[in-house]
Amino acid sequence: MRIAKITATTVTTAALALGLAACGGAEAPAEPSAAASGPKYSGKELTFWRLGDSNPAAQKYTDELVAAFEQQTGAKVKVEWIPWPQVNDKFTAAAAGGTGPDVTEIGNDQVPLWQSQEALAPITDIVAAGDQAEIPKNLLGLETIDGETYAVPWGGGSRAVLYRADWFKDLKIEIPKTWDELVAAAKKIQEKKGKDVDGFAFNGGSDANHLLGSLAWTGGGEYAVKEGDKWVGKLTDPGFKTGFEQYTALVTDGLSSKSRLSQNTTEIRTRFANNKVGMYLTASWDLPGIDEDSKGKLKGDKLAFFPLPAKDGGEAQSFLGGNDIAVWGTAKEMDAAKDFVKLASGKEWGVKYATDGGLLPVYPEALAKLSEDPAQAPFAAAFAKAKAFPADPNWTEANETKAVLQNAARQVIEGKATVDEALGKANTELENILNQS
């Protein structure tokens, strides 16, 4: 993911990548010394899975970090890029087949699922010492299970509204401070730019809950809460219902087309780059793709971010997202993989991963410095209020495989169910999925 100077500045984004420091292990008495035999991992090769798009800036950054690791350790690193929509299938096949990389980038909310499949190796020793010991413990909530840590936070992800600053200027639209003002801005964009333009794009794809969750949490709702050893769904509670109605109204009120109910952020980004979206919820890691898709026409002061507003003013809660780095459970080069993670998530490469990638650094000093940047202020504000999805290994099934909330929203939008009917059915389905043993 990537970072930016946004409002009146050009956004620069570099890739997230990994570097590794060599870590010495005990040598058998008969073996030559490290000085005599060369770098520790000479002749070894690691496979590293990077998630997302390999845009030119991201590729350059990854190459530099991999080169640093190879120079220090003598190992070779094979980098494989996996687009986000394919990640779940790729991980599933690797876990089922006993294959996979040595090291992988991983979304923080995915850690409980893949740990439950024994696809991640414990790396508690890494976060207990060195730079990693400075990472606030509250950022390790999804990564620490039964006393063991299975991934290191690499960069925090919060979202804000990306908008066409040039359109706002031309149409004399002020930055929305309430939900009603956002709706009014979206309608004005459509009036002037055409009905085929989404004033505010509805996200109904695999990452739909980043938008729905923000609206529901801000309304006082929750997806589910743990009571004893069971999850109890809260989708029918008034707070969640309020946010759900805001979410579906993006389409029922005409701000986004009914023909694009399943579009995800990647698809919205492409439409945005082609002048078909006025606003949508995302982060600055989308900016390089927009620059590329628009052939350089959309960048700099044509784009900017503002915090997603709450219904009656103030800032909505954001999803506590982020990317981690982890060692795959069946890593062929386990020791080298752990060294790779150690350097990559340390202060030097870890902060660079986040700040060059449009994410928020997990090290407190770097985060405080970044929050002083006006371009990053919307993300820092969102990060301060961020929440996470239910920390259960079955959440991915509910969120992506079964698309419980996405299906509920479509039922309402298409007039096949009332809000109460759709949420009642979804609540039962969510409980059944989360409470699977």
Side-chain angles (χ1 to χ4, degrees), residues 35-287:
S37 62
K40 182 178 180 183
Y41 297 123
S42 292
K44 305 291 186 181
E45 181 178 80
L46 295 180
T47 298
F48 170 44
W49 281 0
R50 281 294 321 275
L51 310 185
D53 300 325
S54 60
N55 61 72
Q59 187 68 60
K60 179 177 182 294
Y61 189 51
T62 302
D63 290 345
E64 289 174 354
L65 290 177
V66 165
F69 170 65
E70 292 179 342
Q71 182 178 19
Q72 291 178 37
T73 67
K76 294 297 181 183
V77 179
K78 177 184 177 183
V79 180
E80 296 181 15
W81 291 86
I82 305 171
W84 282 106
Q86 298 174 21
V87 168
N88 192 49
D89 289 344
K90 187 79 170 178
F91 277 32
T92 298
T99 59
D102 294 283
V103 177
T104 187
E105 189 173 12
I106 184 171
N108 63 349
D109 62 328
Q110 298 286 299
V111 174
L113 168 63
W114 299 110
Q115 184 276 334
S116 75
Q117 303 298 311
E118 300 182 351
L120 302 178
I123 50 175
T124 309
D125 55 331
I126 292 177
V127 299
D131 289 347
Q132 289 80 357
E134 297 181 29
I135 298 173
K137 296 297 181 266
N138 67 299
L139 297 184
L140 293 163
L142 290 168
E143 293 80 2
T144 302
I145 301 164
D146 296 331
E148 292 279 9
T149 301
Y150 291 87
V152 184
W154 212 8
S158 59
R159 287 160 174 77
V161 179
L162 176 61
Y163 71 102
R164 287 293 300 268
D166 54 342
W167 289 3
F168 271 51
K169 182 179 180 180
D170 292 345
L171 301 177
K172 296 180 171 53
I173 299 173
E174 298 292 330
I175 301 300
K177 302 297 184 184
T178 67
W179 186 255
D180 286 346
E181 290 177 2
L182 183 144
V183 170
K187 288 183 176 179
K188 188 168 186 179
I189 288 170
Q190 289 180 307
E191 289 171 7
K192 301 299 183 181
K193 299 296 180 179
K195 289 298 181 183
D196 188 46
V197 172
D198 291 333
F200 188 101
F202 175 86
N203 183 335
S206 59
D207 51 355
N209 280 292
H210 295 152
L211 174 57
L212 173 56
S214 290
L215 299 175
W217 289 323
T218 305
E222 297 284 353
Y223 285 87
V225 297
K226 202 74 175 285
E227 295 183 4
D229 60 353
K230 295 197 69 175
W231 286 100
V232 177
K234 296 294 181 181
L235 304 184
T236 58
D237 287 2
F240 194 94
K241 181 179 176 181
T242 295
F244 184 81
E245 289 175 328
Q246 279 181 267
Y247 174 67
T248 55
L250 289 171
V251 181
T252 57
D253 286 352
L255 307 184
S256 193
S257 174
K258 191 179 290 187
S259 67
R260 293 183 284 274
L261 292 183
S262 63
Q263 65 182 351
N264 59 29
T265 300
T266 301
E267 293 162 328
I268 296 169
R269 184 196 77 193
T270 300
R271 283 179 48 78
F272 185 94
N274 287 282
N275 303 313
K276 294 297 183 181
V277 173
M279 297 177 278
Y280 74 108
L281 189 72
T282 187
S284 55
W285 53 73
D286 266 4
L287 295 169

